[in-house]
Amino acid sequence: MTRARSIAAIVVAAGKGERASANGESLPKQYRSVHGIPVLTRTIKALLALPDVTFVQPVIHPDHADLYAGLGLDDERLLPPVMGGATRQSSVLEGLKALGRQRPDYVLIQDAARPFIGAELVAGVVAGLADHEGALPAVPVTDTIKRAPDGVNIVATEDRRVLFAAQTPQGFRYPQIFSAHMRASTLPREFTDDAAIAEWAGLRVALTPGNTSNIKITHPEDFARAERMIAGAQSMETRVGTGFDVHEFEPGDAVWLGGVRIPHTAKLKGHSDADVALHALTDAIYGALGEGDIGTHFPPSDPQWKGAASVIFLEHAAKLVAERGGRIVNLDATIVAESPKIAAHVPAMRQVIATACAITPSRVTIKATTSERLGFTGREEGIVAMASASIELPRVD
Ligand SMILES: Nc1ccn([C@@H]2O[C@H](COP(=O)(O)OP(=O)(O)OP(=O)(O)O)[C@@H](O)[C@H]2O)c(=O)n1
Ligand SMILES: C[C@](O)(CO)[C@H](O)COP(=O)(O)O
């Protein structure tokens, strides 16, 4: 039997984040929050969310031990932090040394400052290691790149078709990158990423698909960008629910349908006012919310709902949508009845329903049909209503 491949992730978080603090912000960027969650927490949790990652090794600045402890991170795959060095390169080396006990097969080296790593991107890096000694995610350069050694005078325009912007995590076979880093640490020069060290050491490094969302938070304005990205990711999703209800006739002089009292030769029998149309619509909204049905919220055994106006139920369902940060897109009901005739009452029903749901009547449709004298509705023993609701809710999973 082949042993499962072990993959460790090093998260380098020992930088001071000086560029991101250019606006006077004192907290190092990796401890600042984006949408309420510290950047470093996001990065570590994104890695821990990947089942193939066996260990995560954080590397922090010696002055940030309290800040790190304050994150309250706790996971059996999260190793205690080790202290980094004065450069990113030396911090990575400390992480590699710390993994000497685990000796993973692969190591992913990740910037703390890149909190938006996706599972697909990491899978691409790991897949790249099957036939290369290193793999890094990268995106094609989209700007035209000028070479200007003095920052003013252009000496060349690069061929951007062969240029790619490097991201992290960069993946390697652990023993090889450890050895390369050890040797590179004796050089007077500094490398800005681990792939550059691997290339220098003669390892074969592949490019794998990066993602433009995988930004490195570097400058103050990157926080606003990160906030916008999360707000975008937490976009609304459309949900649909259906409802169905039947009530039989009993002696009386009017029926309640769609929140409107319609004089008739009978009434509908029920614990509440027996408004089949509102019941079907209410259930449709509960269905779209995934919140049970009318019986869950208003048990028929509860005497307080005896004779209740069903518009209360509809208002409750609509309130739940609002409380979840959502909105009702449209409601559609069909009433099946030989009598009473519904058409003349439809505008009033739409208005009642729209008011109860705090939407415009244009989002409410009420249709009526007979069952061609077939079945219990055809024999005028009762009324059926069917409904559907379409709502938008913030996506949470
Ligand atoms: N001595 C260092 C320097 C950087 N890093 C880490 O390397 C990643 C990429 O570096 P960069 O974005 O440049 O971060 P800083 O060095 O903190 O930023 P600055 O250069 O603006 O101070 C960051 O997660 C950073 O914390 C590190 O672990 N140790
Ligand atoms: C490793 C890296 O994220 C690749 O783009 C980048 O080089 C690190 O940032 P730094 O500012 O160069 O430390």
Side-chain angles (χ1 to χ4, degrees):
M1 205 169 75
T2 53
R3 186 176 68 90
R5 195 187 45 198
S6 62
I7 304 177
I10 293 173
V11 178
V12 280
K16 292 187 180 154
E18 283 169 347
R19 286 168 289 176
S21 295
N23 57 354
E25 171 65 48
S26 57
L27 200 57
K29 63 182 179 183
Q30 58 274 41
Y31 295 98
R32 284 175 61 188
S33 290
V34 175
H35 225 71
I37 300 174
V39 170
L40 181 52
T41 301
R42 286 186 176 277
T43 306
I44 289 176
K45 285 199 169 171
L47 289 164
L48 289 172
L50 305 172
D52 286 348
V53 171
T54 330
F55 302 106
V56 175
Q57 175 62 70
V59 181
I60 64 168
H61 192 286
D63 294 346
H64 300 164
D66 288 347
L67 286 173
Y68 182 82
L71 298 179
L73 292 165
D74 183 25
D75 191 289
E76 59 184 13
R77 291 181 295 143
L78 182 61
L79 299 170
V82 293
M83 301 305 143
T87 62
R88 182 186 184 282
Q89 181 181 335
S90 58
S91 295
V92 172
L93 181 56
E94 291 309 315
L96 290 167
K97 285 182 190 164
L99 289 174
R101 254 165 40 100
Q102 287 80 17
R103 294 198 66 76
D105 299 312
Y106 293 168
V107 62
L108 300 171
I109 302 173
Q110 171 66 22
D111 291 332
R114 289 189 192 267
F116 302 122
I117 343 152
E120 208 177 320
L121 180 145
V122 178
V125 172
V126 172
L129 292 177
D131 51 10
H132 285 77
E133 286 139 346
L136 75 144
V139 288
V141 166
T142 50
D143 293 324
T144 296
I145 305 293
K146 304 290 181 186
R147 183 178 294 276
D150 65 359
V152 178
N153 297 292
I154 297 169
V155 298
T157 297
E158 304 294 343
D159 179 1
R160 73 176 179 198
R161 291 171 301 177
V162 298
L163 295 175
F164 296 85
Q167 301 183 337
T168 67
Q170 301 190 351
F172 306 93
R173 298 178 190 172
Y174 173 73
Q176 290 176 318
I177 193 67
F178 190 13
S179 160
H181 253 279
M182 284 295 281
R183 284 183 286 136
S185 68
T186 64
L187 300 176
R189 68 176 279 204
E190 201 62 46
F191 294 86
T192 56
D193 76 349
D194 311 289
I197 292 177
E199 294 153 34
W200 165 80
L203 303 180
R204 288 174 308 119
V205 183
L207 291 185
T208 60
N211 194 320
T212 50
S213 313
N214 184 21
I215 60 165
K216 180 161 76 71
I217 295 180
T218 304
H219 300 288
E221 58 271 22
D222 291 332
F223 277 93
R225 187 171 168 207
E227 291 285 352
R228 284 196 300 274
M229 284 169 58
I230 291 177
Q234 276 188 350
S235 54
M236 305 292 267
E237 64 181 3
T238 302
R239 300 179 56 138
V240 172
T242 62
F244 176 87
D245 198 25
V246 176
H247 280 271
E248 67 173 311
F249 284 122
E250 65 178 8
D253 59 3
V255 292
W256 282 94
L257 280 176
V260 174
R261 186 176 183 276
I262 303 173
H264 191 45
T265 51
K267 70 190 275 281
L268 288 171
K269 184 176 170 187
H271 185 62
S272 63
D273 65 8
D275 188 327
V276 277
L278 293 194
H279 293 184
L281 282 164
T282 305
D283 266 353
I285 298 174
Y286 287 141
L289 284 166
E291 294 258 9
D293 58 19
I294 290 193
T296 319
H297 298 277
F298 301 96
S301 53
D302 188 336
Q304 70 172 305
W305 309 122
K306 179 141 182 59
S310 296
V311 74
I312 295 171
F313 310 148
L314 185 63
E315 283 167 352
H316 176 260
K319 192 165 133 251
L320 290 187
V321 176
E323 283 172 358
R324 298 240 315 243
R327 73 178 186 109
I328 294 171
V329 178
N330 79 300
L331 299 172
D332 181 21
T334 300
I335 299 168
V336 186
E338 295 296 333
S339 65
K341 293 298 170 204
I342 310 292
H345 304 284
V346 165
M349 290 179 187
R350 292 175 71 201
Q351 187 58 59
V352 170
I353 293 162
T355 302
C357 296
I359 56 178
T360 66
S362 64
R363 294 185 183 275
V364 181
T365 310
I366 301 292
K367 310 184 302 300
T369 184
T370 70
S371 58
E372 300 291 338
R373 301 232 155 257
L374 296 171
F376 68 89
T377 49
R379 293 190 296 273
E380 298 193 38
E381 293 166 8
I383 294 183
V384 168
M386 290 163 284
S388 62
S390 164
I391 68 175
E392 277 186 351
L393 285 184
R395 196 187 161 139
V396 289
D397 50 15

